[in-house]
Amino acid sequence: MRRARAALARAVAEVSGQALGPYQSAVVRIGFAGTWLFFLLREFPHRAELYGPDGPWSQELAQRLLDSNGAFTVLTWSGSALWFETVYAVAVLASAGLLLGWRTRAMSVVFMIGVLSLQNRSVFMGDGGDNVIHLVAIYLVLTRCAQVWSLDARRARRRGSATAGAAGPVLWGVLGVVFAHGAATGRFSPGWLAAFGAVWVVCALWWLVDRRDPEGEGRAVLDVLANLLHNAGMLVIMVEVCLIYATAGWYKIQGSRWQDGTALYYPLGLDYFTPWPALSALLAGSGTLVMLLSYGTVAVQVAFPFTLFNRRIKNVLLVLMMLEHAGIAVLLGLPFFSLAMIAADAVFLPTGFLVWLGARAAALRAAAPRVVRRPERRPAGPSPAPPPPGPGLRPDPALDRGTG
């Protein structure tokens, strides 16, 4: 019993005393923010047809669906094109801010609002990758995903606190005004009203405590709560990835085409999923290769959740799954689905590899040529007299002749 209590005490201290997986959470933040940003930029010319007023899914249909399922979107607050363009632009900026780790707590909230607003406005425009982004956007709000590889981390090193500066209070002030307007006009359901209100109050309390008493007990209590939320959010992301692969693998086992090893052959013959017809035809022409890839996909997806406690086997299967998604991106023309899944898989990457990767990136950045700044010009004036020569030194005659 003493050993069990001691082990439990150590586990509680570790979970509450630090935010685990700082590098993994940073990779997940960068991966999902970058994926959503690239998607928004690629679809920028078609944004009005996909999610805006020009789409086939009208504002009335979207509102009727939202009334039935309780989903959240700010795009139904107004049907004007200006409001849609504003929301789309804010979604792009929030994705870029979260990617860089600038004011990450506020950016994670705005990023989540942008993802939910666009996806819930037109529910038939997404795929499996969009569903993963939809879920992880919510989980990222709970995590401390800017401890490393972020502008917030650099600000904390330079100024002693990531909340330093006036940008944070301004951002949360604007968010508070928008939240107050939505609450006063009845735009939020009770659940979302409580969630956004809790986030705003907790972040305001954090800022006050961090500015008034950064070394006191109040800050320590908030750190413990933040660590618990972060670790819970990371655990949920890991469980989500395992559920995705487990359900996908076991459902494939039940399919006759996966059982006989021909499942991969059929999508390679569809025009919609063949961006490289010659490459798809070459792969589909080899029955052995199709069979091996079909069986290998099922085996990797089913086995992955059971290998998490064996680091070596887990890392091997992790590489295979990432290569699988890279192949899906190239062969089937689903780059954003693949990027989203690779970003989700990154939560299981080993810390040693991520630290090495960060060190290599820092070395390359240090070795890159830097722009040489010109010295500042000083106002013209009499040249200062040269210092008197020290002991054993004689003045240079060239300085006396004005040619030095």
Side-chain angles (χ1 to χ4, degrees):
M1 292 296 295
R2 291 181 179 178
R3 292 181 179 179
R5 286 196 297 267
L8 180 60
R10 288 194 299 269
V12 171
E14 184 176 4
V15 171
S16 61
Q18 60 180 329
L20 302 175
Y23 292 94
Q24 287 81 358
S25 62
V27 172
V28 172
R29 182 200 84 229
I30 294 170
F32 278 95
T35 300
W36 186 243
L37 175 62
F38 296 154
F39 174 80
L40 294 179
L41 295 178
R42 191 195 72 169
E43 301 298 341
F44 188 81
H46 314 290
R47 61 193 183 282
E49 291 81 5
L50 291 176
Y51 303 109
D54 298 339
W57 191 248
S58 65
Q59 189 87 343
E60 291 76 18
L61 291 175
Q63 188 61 55
R64 288 173 58 184
L65 181 62
L66 294 175
D67 293 338
S68 64
N69 61 14
F72 172 78
T73 177
V74 299
L75 287 177
T76 56
W77 291 12
S78 174
S80 67
L82 178 60
W83 175 246
F84 167 73
E85 296 293 346
T86 301
V87 173
Y88 199 94
V90 170
V92 171
L93 295 176
S95 301
L98 187 63
L99 174 67
L100 299 174
W102 180 78
R103 304 292 174 178
T104 311
R105 185 64 61 194
M107 288 298 104
S108 65
V109 175
V110 181
F111 176 78
M112 178 190 70
I113 293 174
V115 170
L116 298 183
S117 296
L118 292 172
Q119 292 187 356
N120 290 335
R121 170 60 178 83
S122 299
V123 294
F124 297 108
M125 295 299 174
D127 55 21
D130 289 338
N131 293 334
V132 177
I133 296 175
H134 190 108
L135 294 172
V136 176
I138 300 175
Y139 305 149
L140 281 176
V141 177
L142 304 177
T143 64
R144 308 180 75 173
C145 54
Q147 299 177 94
V148 296
W149 300 344
S150 67
L151 297 180
D152 287 348
R154 187 178 70 170
R155 187 186 312 110
R157 290 194 301 268
R158 292 183 174 181
R159 302 186 181 183
S161 174
T163 61
V170 171
L171 283 173
W172 284 107
V174 173
L175 291 178
V177 171
V178 176
F179 171 73
H181 170 74
T185 55
R187 305 289 186 179
F188 296 107
S189 64
W192 286 108
L193 181 65
F196 284 122
V199 170
W200 197 93
V201 170
V202 169
C203 289
L205 179 62
W206 182 284
W207 183 83
L208 288 174
V209 172
D210 191 58
R211 299 299 294 269
R212 299 289 180 86
D213 191 14
E215 303 295 335
E217 295 183 357
R219 173 58 189 270
V221 172
L222 290 177
D223 270 327
V224 170
L225 294 177
N227 292 335
L228 290 174
L229 285 176
H230 168 89
N231 295 329
M234 293 296 290
L235 177 62
V236 171
I237 293 175
M238 289 188 286
V239 172
E240 187 73 34
V241 175
C242 291
L243 287 176
I244 290 173
Y245 285 119
T247 53
W250 286 106
Y251 270 110
K252 286 182 174 67
I253 288 178
Q254 303 175 41
S256 59
R257 296 293 177 262
W258 290 100
Q259 292 176 6
D260 60 25
T262 61
L264 185 61
Y265 172 81
Y266 298 97
L268 293 176
L270 299 176
D271 293 338
Y272 186 77
F273 292 108
T274 53
W276 310 97
L279 182 60
S280 299
L282 179 63
L283 179 60
S286 174
T288 303
L289 188 56
V290 169
M291 181 187 66
L292 291 176
L293 291 176
S294 299
Y295 285 154
T297 298
V298 176
V300 169
Q301 292 180 352
V302 172
F304 178 74
F306 300 100
T307 64
L308 296 181
F309 299 101
N310 190 308
R311 182 178 303 177
R312 294 182 178 179
I313 300 178
K314 183 262 296 182
N315 291 338
V316 172
L317 292 186
L318 193 61
V319 173
L320 292 178
M321 288 193 301
M322 289 185 172
L323 292 176
E324 173 193 341
H325 290 301
I328 292 174
V330 175
L331 291 175
L332 302 183
L334 298 173
F336 296 104
F337 166 78
S338 299
L339 285 174
M341 290 307 303
I342 291 174
D345 294 341
V347 74
F348 294 106
L349 287 174
T351 302
F353 169 74
L354 294 177
V355 172
W356 173 85
L357 190 64
R360 292 295 302 168
L364 292 176
R365 185 172 64 251
R370 297 183 179 182
V371 178
V372 180
R373 296 183 179 180
R374 295 181 178 181
E376 298 181 359
R377 294 185 178 181
R378 298 181 178 180
S383 301
L393 297 178
R394 304 179 64 181
D396 188 352
L399 294 177
D400 298 335
R401 292 194 300 269
T403 60

